[in-house]
């Protein structure tokens, strides 16, 4: 079966083509079901390959197949090829599984939208590109998928393109991504050239891994840093996160699939895939971890002051992505992928739940206009509750296992640091707080909605609630594949990914990077293996989360006047946080206006002045020269004859006088 | 025995007649007179040919002059026909009136 | 003294003088008919010079073709075209100031000097041909030229005839009154 790995991306591609060409002639239902079927077949293929993997010994779980020799130029040979190993099968299962559930959900959610066929076509294209990204066997294949998902993100964010805000958001996403992609490309070029200088011309992952030792330390730093720039763009880390909140202009299933579960995780996947390079560059790993934790904290603070439910979830996504980067930054690659998977479940569920809430509230997004929905939309209420518990990291739910592993590794890994752990743990508490602020605000209290909307509140149809329930189940059960040793489990997830990701932390000498902090602070080898310390930290993080939930309960259920008083007491602080710290405005002022001004200057000086000047100038030069010459053409024959006589003088003079010299 | 005429005298005469013809071609405004000046220039050239033929005991000069005369005759016919047409068009054969090729 | 100078030379000098004077007069007369008449005198004088240069055939041709046919043609056209003795046809459009006259005179003088220099001092380097004057006269100038024309120079001769034909047709076509 593993010979057929190319089927995994093929099914959505076929769905895209069939729907694309014949969709206009088919009914709405046919298009939807073809799209769902395509993704489902992809999922089944992934499951089949996974089962086959389980029956094989761990070292043999790598399949590579090259379909077509795409680029053959001199020494360089880049085929169209796919690679399935433990990492890509996990990603492929997650992507195709969650995508299938969201496709089914979309049948209900987008039922009344006139562009539903276009929606499914673009969604299938997205799944195709994402699967190429995760199953590609070379950096170039991954880049093809990378760009493809960026394109689909643009198309789907701007799905309701008649709205200016939506098309602007699509453009913003694409342009900010492009900045990251520039870094990614530079990284690819540098890697290619550096390996090539040693005689190895390849972009294939397996080959790179075999030859990575040929790169010297400095090159590894630069290359991994450039790749991280690309990851920061796609996965919305500081400073390139600004597109993700705006991407909420797209339909909610899009936000769920692309901007929560799959596309934004591509950066994490990329770093995990290249873990052997990152292990050679501890300084870059430190940068990754620092930016990850700062992003997590920063985005969580913004989430405190947002009223739009999708925006809260967007900042929550940025924050959780920060956690994943912390994980890969401290060397806990499988922990990062584990959190990626659980996050796909509970964040996907949260967004779908938000969509269900919006469906009940006739499209209303503002938290302040909701409330008291608990009894009216029970399925949504319970699944949302489960997802919130998962994201808060309450024991028993999947988020607990993955987040806890990240926190532990942040503390104990040789690349980790106590400050990183501290900030991450604090952010965990904050996450619990703002998620339950959202939860209590929407489902508890009195219903603050206007009358006409109140009457229409109804539970979503089954085609929407069944995926919610399946995801809720996964949000609970998905974590049990990664039960840590501490609690008696064997961490199957870590073991499964070990051949690819190296069993987590690399036992290299810890470099605390740039000499910023003295090694007295580095929590290195002494901490690893201390079971009681691990238990203490685990309890600490759970307690922080519970405190967060309790504060949220206080503020939004028992004493609902308190938040108002707080806002009144610190109006400026509130305003700054509510406006996302004015980062967008800063970017606009510095970069956008700067580039526009530079463009205008270039237009005036170079385009109009120089280039048009040259073109028009040569024209007017010719005209002037012609005007000069025109004076000879008087039309009077005798003047022409006079000219001939002058010529005759010259010729005769030459003939007569030349022999004398 | 009658002496031959020195060739250089003939050339000199030819040069003078040629320049007279050239001046006439440029200066006069009546088209017919311009034409006659051009014929004068042709005659000067004919003289050169004949005197050269005489100097080198060759009849090539005469043969060439024969052809020059032929061409001059044709040119006269056609050119005068053009002058007639010009007169019909413009009512005058003043060379200054005819600058249709201007520009 | 007279014999030393040579009879031919005297005739040549007289004829040359006539040529120069009449050509000068030709280019300066206001009345085109007068110009034409002086042209005829010039042609006759040239014919005399040709005779002195042993080109009898050409001399006769000169009188017949130039002084006869061409000048007659010109006279006819002058009479057709000139309305008031040519005064109207001599009006200049642009007045010629002194500077232009001086420049023109300079140019013409340069040309004349160059040509005279060449005429007097240029070394001719042609080969001597095989038709000395006595031999030709004994055979007959016209006959010899005829032999040449129909022998060595047949092709240009035929072409010349075609040219004449074209000229005839052209002249007729050009001067038709359009209907």
């Amino acid at each position: 079966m593993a010979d057929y790995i190319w089927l995994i991306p093929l099914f959505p591609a076929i769905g895209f083509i069939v729907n694309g060409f014949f969709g206009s002639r088919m009914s709405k239902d046919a298009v939807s079901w073809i799209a769902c079927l395509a993704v489902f077949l992809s999922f089944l293929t992934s499951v089949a390959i996974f089962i086959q993997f389980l029956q094989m010994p761990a070292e043999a779980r790598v399949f590579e197949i090259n379909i077509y020799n795409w680029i053959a130029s001199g020494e360089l040979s880049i085929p169209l090829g796919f690679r399935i190993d433990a990492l890509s099968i996990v990603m492929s299962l997650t992507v195709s599984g969650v995508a299938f559930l969201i496709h089914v959900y979309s049948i209900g959610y987008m039922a009344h939208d006139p562009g539903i066929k276009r929606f499914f076509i673009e969604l299938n294209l997205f799944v195709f590109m994402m699967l190429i990204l995760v199953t590609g066997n070379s950096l170039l294949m991954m880049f093809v998928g990378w760009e493809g998902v960026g394109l689909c993100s643009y198309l789907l964010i701007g799905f309701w393109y008649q709205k200016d805000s939506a098309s602007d958001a699509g453009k913003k996403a694409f342009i900010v991504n492009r900045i990251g992609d520039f870094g990614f490309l530079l990284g690819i070029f540098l890697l290619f050239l550096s390996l090539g200088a040693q005689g190895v011309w390849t972009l294939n992952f397996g080959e790179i891994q075999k030859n990575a030792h040929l790169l010297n330390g400095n090159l590894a730093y630069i290359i991994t840093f450039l790749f991280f720039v690309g990851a920061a763009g796609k996965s919305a880390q500081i400073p390139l996160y600004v597109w993700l909140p705006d991407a909420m202009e797209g339909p909610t299933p899009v936000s769920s699939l692309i901007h929560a579960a799959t596309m934004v995780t591509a950066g994490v996947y990329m770093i995990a895939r290249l873990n052997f390079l990152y292990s050679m560059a501890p300084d870059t790993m430190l940068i990754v971890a620092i930016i990850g934790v700062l992003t997590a904290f920063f985005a969580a603070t913004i989430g405190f002051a947002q009223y739009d439910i999708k925006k809260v979830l967007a900042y929550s996504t940025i924050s959780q992505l920060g956690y994943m980067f912390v994980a890969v930054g401290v060397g806990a690659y499988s922990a990062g992928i584990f959190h990626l998977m659980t996050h796909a479940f509970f964040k996907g569920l949260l967004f779908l739940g938000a969509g269900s809430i919006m469906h009940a509230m006739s499209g209303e997004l503002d938290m302040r206009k909701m409330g008291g929905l608990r009894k009216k939309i029970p399925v949504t209420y319970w699944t949302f509750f489960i997802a919130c518990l998962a994201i808060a990291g309450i024991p028993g739910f999947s988020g607990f296992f993955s987040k806890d592993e990240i926190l532990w590794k942040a503390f104990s890994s040789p690349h980790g640091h106590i400050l990183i752990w501290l900030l991450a743990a604090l952010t965990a508490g904050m996450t619990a707080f703002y998620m339950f602020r959202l939860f209590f605000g929407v489902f508890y209290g009195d219903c603050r909605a206007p009358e006409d909307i109140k009457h229409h509140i109804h539970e979503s149809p089954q085609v929407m609630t069944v995926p919610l329930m399946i995801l809720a189940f996964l949000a609970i059960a998905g974590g049990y594949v990664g039960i840590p040793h501490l609690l008696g489990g064997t961490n199957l997830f870590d073991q499964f990914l070990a051949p690819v990701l190296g069993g987590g932390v690399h036992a290299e000498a810890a470099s605390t990077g740039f000499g910023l902090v003295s090694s007295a602070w580095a929590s290195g080898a002494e901490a690893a293996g201390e079971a009681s310390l691990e238990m203490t930290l685990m309890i600490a993080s759970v307690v922080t989360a519970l405190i967060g939930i309790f504060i949220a309960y206080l503020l939004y259920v028992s004493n609902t006047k308190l938040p108002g008083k707080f806002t009144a007491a610190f109006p400026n602080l509130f305003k700054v946080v509510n406006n996302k710290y004015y980062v967008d405005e800063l970017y606009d002022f510095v970069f956008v206006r700067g580039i526009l001004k530079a463009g205008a200057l270039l237009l005036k000086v170079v385009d109009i002045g120089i280039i048009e000047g040259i073109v028009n100038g040569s024209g007017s030069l010719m005209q002037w020269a012609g005007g000069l010459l025109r004076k000879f053409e008087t039309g009077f024959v005798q003047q022409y004859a006079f000219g001939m006589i002058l010529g005759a003088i010259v010729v005769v003079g030459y003939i007569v006088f030349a022999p004398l010299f | 025995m009658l002496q031959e005429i020195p060739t250089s005298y003939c050339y000199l005469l030819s040069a003078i007649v040629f320049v007279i013809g050239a001046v006439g071609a440029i200066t006069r405004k009546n088209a017919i007179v311009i034409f006659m000046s051009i014929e004068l220039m042709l005659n000067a050239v004919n003289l050169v040919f004949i005197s050269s033929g005489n100097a080198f005991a060759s009849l090539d000069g005469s043969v060439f002059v024969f052809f020059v005369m032929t061409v001059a005759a044709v040119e006269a016919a056609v050119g005068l026909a053009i002058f007639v047409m010009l007169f019909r068009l413009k009512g005058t054969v003043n060379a200054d009136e005819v600058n249709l090729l201007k520009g | 003294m007279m014999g030393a100078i040579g009879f031919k030379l005297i005739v040549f000098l007289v004829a040359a003088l006539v040529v120069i004077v009449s050509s000068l007069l030709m280019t300066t007369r206001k009345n085109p008919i007068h110009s034409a008449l002086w042209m005829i005198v010039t042609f006759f004088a040239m014919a005399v010079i040709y005779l002195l240069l042993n080109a009898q055939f050409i001399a006769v041709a000169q009188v017949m073709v130039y002084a006869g046919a061409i000048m007659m043609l010109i006279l006819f056209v002058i009479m057709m075209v000139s309305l008031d003795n040519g005064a109207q046809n001599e009006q200049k459009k642009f007045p010629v100031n002194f500077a232009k006259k001086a420049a023109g005179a300079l140019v013409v003088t340069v040309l004349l000097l160059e040509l005279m220099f060449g005429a007097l001092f240029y070394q001719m380097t042609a080969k001597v041909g095989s038709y000395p004057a006595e031999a030709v006269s004994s055979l007959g100038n016209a006959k010899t030229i005829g032999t040449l024309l129909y022998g060595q120079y047949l092709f240009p001769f035929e072409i010349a005839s075609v040219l004449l034909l074209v000229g005839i047709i052209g002249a007729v076509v050009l001067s038709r009154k359009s209907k």
Side-chain angles (χ1 to χ4, degrees):
Chain A
M1 196 62 211
D3 288 338
Y4 297 104
I5 40 180
W6 46 273
L7 279 179
I8 298 180
L10 184 69
F11 285 124
I14 294 179
F16 165 68
I17 292 175
V18 167
N19 278 342
F21 282 114
F22 304 113
S24 49
R25 275 170 263 179
M26 293 194 283
S27 73
K28 219 172 50 174
D29 289 329
V31 170
S32 340
W33 285 107
I34 288 181
C36 294
L37 184 67
V39 183
F40 186 61
L41 287 173
S42 208
F43 178 65
L44 282 183
T45 320
S46 311
V47 169
I49 296 182
F50 179 65
I51 293 176
Q52 195 182 9
F53 266 18
L54 288 178
Q55 294 160 348
M56 294 163 55
E59 308 77 42
R61 290 177 188 158
V62 178
F63 279 107
E64 214 171 308
I65 178 168
N66 288 329
I67 308 261
Y68 171 69
N69 204 3
W70 182 18
I71 299 179
S73 156
E75 292 251 15
L76 175 62
S77 163
I78 298 184
L80 214 73
F82 298 102
R83 175 196 179 92
I84 289 281
D85 53 18
L87 177 61
S88 45
I89 199 67
V90 165
M91 293 294 299
S92 160
L93 282 171
T94 313
V95 167
S96 52
V98 174
F100 170 63
L101 291 171
I102 294 178
H103 271 73
V104 173
Y105 178 91
S106 307
I107 299 179
Y109 188 81
M110 301 292 287
H112 299 295
D113 193 298
I116 182 173
K117 289 184 193 170
R118 179 164 54 102
F119 184 76
F120 275 111
I121 292 172
E122 289 172 1
L123 213 60
N124 257 10
L125 182 65
F126 168 78
V127 177
F128 168 56
M129 286 295 173
M130 187 72 201
L131 287 172
I132 295 235
L133 202 162
V134 297
T135 56
N137 73 342
S138 64
L139 273 172
L140 202 59
M141 288 294 288
M142 188 201 292
F143 191 67
V144 167
W146 191 274
E147 292 291 316
V149 298
L151 169 71
C152 296
S153 170
Y154 161 77
L155 288 172
L156 285 163
I157 293 173
F159 183 71
W160 291 308
Y161 54 84
Q162 294 90 350
K163 259 204 304 181
D164 272 345
S165 54
S167 62
D168 284 346
K171 271 190 292 186
K172 183 172 178 177
F174 200 81
I175 292 175
V176 176
N177 257 219
R178 214 75 195 106
I179 301 175
D181 292 347
F182 183 56
F184 190 0
L185 267 178
L186 284 179
I188 293 182
F189 294 153
L190 192 56
L191 178 66
F192 184 68
L193 285 175
S194 317
L195 279 180
Q198 310 282 342
V200 179
W201 295 100
T202 180
L203 283 175
N204 183 300
F205 287 128
E207 303 273 322
I208 298 178
Q209 186 164 11
K210 270 192 281 193
N211 291 300
H213 58 275
L214 294 172
L215 297 169
N216 72 13
N218 286 331
L219 272 176
Y221 285 137
I222 302 175
I223 292 174
T224 48
F225 181 71
L226 287 171
F227 280 141
F228 176 61
V229 170
K234 189 65 85 185
S235 300
Q237 298 297 294
I238 291 175
L240 297 171
Y241 69 91
V242 290
W243 62 273
L244 192 53
D246 284 46
M248 297 299 115
E249 293 281 343
T252 309
V254 169
S255 308
S256 169
L257 181 59
I258 299 186
H259 305 123
T262 47
M263 184 185 94
V264 291
T265 57
V268 183
Y269 166 72
M270 182 245 279
I271 296 189
R273 177 57 82 194
L274 297 171
N275 62 79
F276 46 88
L277 280 179
Y278 278 88
S279 304
M280 293 164 67
D283 283 347
T284 320
M285 286 174 76
L286 186 68
I287 296 177
V288 171
I290 291 178
I291 290 192
V293 77
L294 283 177
T295 309
F297 179 73
F298 181 71
T301 61
I302 301 183
F304 274 25
Q306 298 300 313
Y307 291 118
D308 181 331
I309 53 176
K310 282 181 74 175
K311 289 271 197 308
V312 175
L313 293 176
Y315 285 106
S316 160
T317 305
I318 299 176
S319 184
Q320 297 301 306
L321 286 168
Y323 269 105
M324 294 181 220
F325 277 99
V326 167
V328 296
V330 299
Y333 303 102
S334 67
I337 300 292
F338 189 27
H339 197 60
L340 193 160
M341 189 174 81
T342 59
H343 178 264
F345 298 147
F346 57 69
K347 190 48 71 59
L349 175 57
L350 281 170
F351 269 106
L352 292 188
S356 189
I357 295 172
M358 285 164 65
H359 180 89
M361 297 287 291
S362 312
E364 182 55 64
L365 275 173
D366 194 326
M367 225 163 73
R368 296 170 283 197
K369 300 213 182 83
M370 302 183 189
L373 294 178
R374 181 163 50 131
K375 294 284 184 335
K376 307 203 182 159
I377 43 175
V379 179
T380 310
Y381 167 71
W382 280 107
T383 52
F384 206 84
F385 187 37
I386 291 174
C388 285
L389 287 173
I391 196 175
I394 302 300
F397 295 88
S398 59
F400 165 68
F401 296 108
S402 57
K403 198 180 280 199
D404 196 72
E405 194 178 338
I406 294 178
L407 287 174
W408 168 239
K409 288 279 159 51
F411 187 84
S412 68
S413 149
H415 297 274
H417 198 279
I418 190 171
L419 282 179
I420 296 181
W421 173 82
L422 199 58
L423 208 51
L426 187 60
T427 311
M430 290 161 71
T431 307
F433 171 72
Y434 70 72
M435 285 309 300
F436 275 91
R437 164 179 176 261
L438 175 65
F439 178 68
F440 290 138
V442 170
F443 289 107
Y444 284 78
D446 303 318
C447 188
R448 300 179 286 274
E451 273 307 315
D452 48 342
I453 293 186
K454 231 198 248 184
H455 279 298
H456 277 113
I457 296 179
H458 59 282
E459 185 59 88
S460 311
Q462 269 203 320
V463 79
M464 283 166 70
T465 53
V466 169
L468 288 178
M469 293 193 277
I470 298 179
L471 278 173
F473 170 70
L474 286 170
I476 302 176
Y480 286 93
V481 294
I483 304 179
H485 298 274
L486 184 69
L487 296 176
T490 48
N491 204 338
L492 298 162
F493 195 81
D494 201 31
Q495 279 185 344
F496 184 69
L497 286 176
V500 184
L501 298 179
V505 170
H506 283 255
E508 285 154 27
S511 152
T512 45
F514 314 118
L516 278 177
V517 260
S518 72
S519 45
W521 283 98
S523 32
E526 318 102 48
E530 283 256 24
S532 57
L533 187 58
E534 195 179 340
M535 182 61 90
T536 318
L537 293 178
M538 194 183 289
I539 296 180
S541 65
V542 173
V543 165
T544 326
L546 287 172
I547 294 177
I549 299 179
F550 182 63
I551 299 180
Y553 184 80
L554 271 182
L555 288 179
Y556 292 97
V557 181
S558 5
N559 194 347
T560 46
K561 297 277 188 291
L562 258 175
K565 284 198 206 151
F566 188 79
T567 326
F570 300 99
N572 286 331
L573 178 65
F574 179 75
K575 192 157 143 246
V576 168
V577 179
N578 191 8
N579 280 311
K580 321 161 260 148
Y581 298 101
Y582 295 110
V583 173
D584 275 320
E585 285 75 7
L586 178 71
Y587 279 0
D588 178 58
F589 184 71
V590 173
F591 296 113
V592 177
R593 275 189 215 186
I595 291 183
L596 284 175
K597 281 216 175 75
L601 184 70
L602 276 177
L603 175 72
K604 206 165 69 133
V605 171
V606 176
D607 204 34
I608 295 181
I610 296 181
I611 297 182
E612 264 184 60
I614 290 179
V615 172
N616 288 346
S618 51
S620 28
L621 180 71
M622 289 301 130
Q623 270 188 313
W624 171 81
L628 268 185
L629 286 172
R630 198 181 298 135
K631 296 206 200 302
F632 286 113
E633 306 271 328
T634 55
F636 296 122
V637 181
Q638 289 180 309
Q639 291 183 0
Y640 297 161
F642 185 68
M644 278 195 230
I645 290 187
L646 288 175
I649 290 179
V650 173
V651 174
V652 170
Y654 174 70
I655 294 178
V656 168
F657 292 114
L660 296 178
F661 299 113
Chain B
M1 205 55 205
L2 296 170
Q3 285 171 322
E4 291 301 329
I5 299 168
T7 324
S8 52
Y9 288 12
C10 299
Y11 291 161
L12 195 59
L13 173 64
S14 167
I16 295 171
V17 171
F18 186 83
V19 170
I20 294 174
V23 168
I26 300 176
T27 315
R28 299 296 302 270
K29 293 301 163 196
N30 192 324
I32 319 275
V33 177
I34 296 175
F35 180 73
M36 286 197 284
S37 307
I38 295 174
E39 291 296 331
L40 195 58
M41 283 198 272
L42 280 173
N43 268 283
V45 171
N46 282 351
L47 180 58
V48 170
F49 275 119
I50 298 289
S51 58
S52 303
N54 189 40
F56 292 102
S58 160
L59 281 177
D60 287 345
S62 303
V63 170
F64 214 93
V65 168
F66 179 84
F67 289 120
V68 170
M69 274 191 205
T70 311
V71 172
V74 177
E75 168 208 342
V78 174
L80 289 167
I82 293 179
F83 287 149
V84 168
M85 279 178 65
L86 190 62
F87 180 72
R88 283 196 205 134
L89 184 69
K90 287 260 180 178
T92 172
V93 285
N94 189 336
D96 275 347
E97 301 287 334
V98 185
N99 62 346
L100 292 170
L101 281 178
K102 182 178 169 68
Chain C
M1 207 41 185
M2 280 273 285
I5 295 178
F7 173 68
K8 266 191 174 176
L9 195 56
I10 296 177
V11 175
F12 174 76
L13 286 173
V14 170
L17 203 58
V18 171
V19 165
I20 293 175
V21 167
S22 59
S23 60
L24 274 174
L25 284 171
M26 183 211 88
T27 54
T28 50
R29 295 301 97 197
K30 279 214 176 34
N31 192 332
I33 306 258
H34 294 175
S35 294
L37 292 175
W38 283 116
M39 185 104 226
I40 296 179
V41 173
T42 314
F43 285 150
F44 270 107
M46 294 284 282
V48 168
I49 297 179
Y50 290 157
L51 276 176
L52 289 171
L53 290 172
N54 298 316
Q56 295 91 353
F57 174 69
I58 296 298
V60 172
Q62 166 96 346
V63 171
M64 274 194 339
V65 172
Y66 266 114
I70 293 182
M71 287 323 294
M72 190 194 65
L73 204 50
I74 289 180
L75 276 168
F76 272 128
V77 173
I78 292 175
M79 285 188 252
M80 246 201 279
V81 153
S82 290
L83 301 172
D84 50 355
N85 290 336
Q88 175 227 46
N89 285 334
E90 285 297 328
Q91 277 165 3
K92 292 203 215 285
K93 216 168 183 158
F94 309 104
V96 187
N97 57 20
F98 180 71
K100 287 192 198 163
K101 278 196 197 165
L106 178 68
V107 166
V108 165
T109 319
V110 166
L111 183 64
L112 181 62
L113 286 174
E114 267 184 7
L115 285 172
M116 279 169 59
F117 187 85
L120 292 172
F121 302 117
Y122 193 75
Q123 303 295 328
M124 291 294 193
T125 53
K127 278 194 311 200
V128 175
S130 48
Y131 291 93
E134 297 83 18
V136 168
S137 343
S138 64
L139 211 54
N141 189 286
K143 198 164 174 185
T144 330
I145 289 184
T147 320
L148 272 180
L149 277 178
Y150 279 93
Q152 189 181 359
Y153 296 107
L154 180 62
F155 186 61
F157 184 71
E158 298 299 331
I159 300 295
S161 60
V162 172
L163 183 65
L164 279 167
L165 180 65
V166 170
I168 293 171
I169 299 176
V172 168
V173 165
L174 279 176
S175 49
R176 261 193 316 184
K177 281 212 170 79
S178 49
K179 302 268 167 58

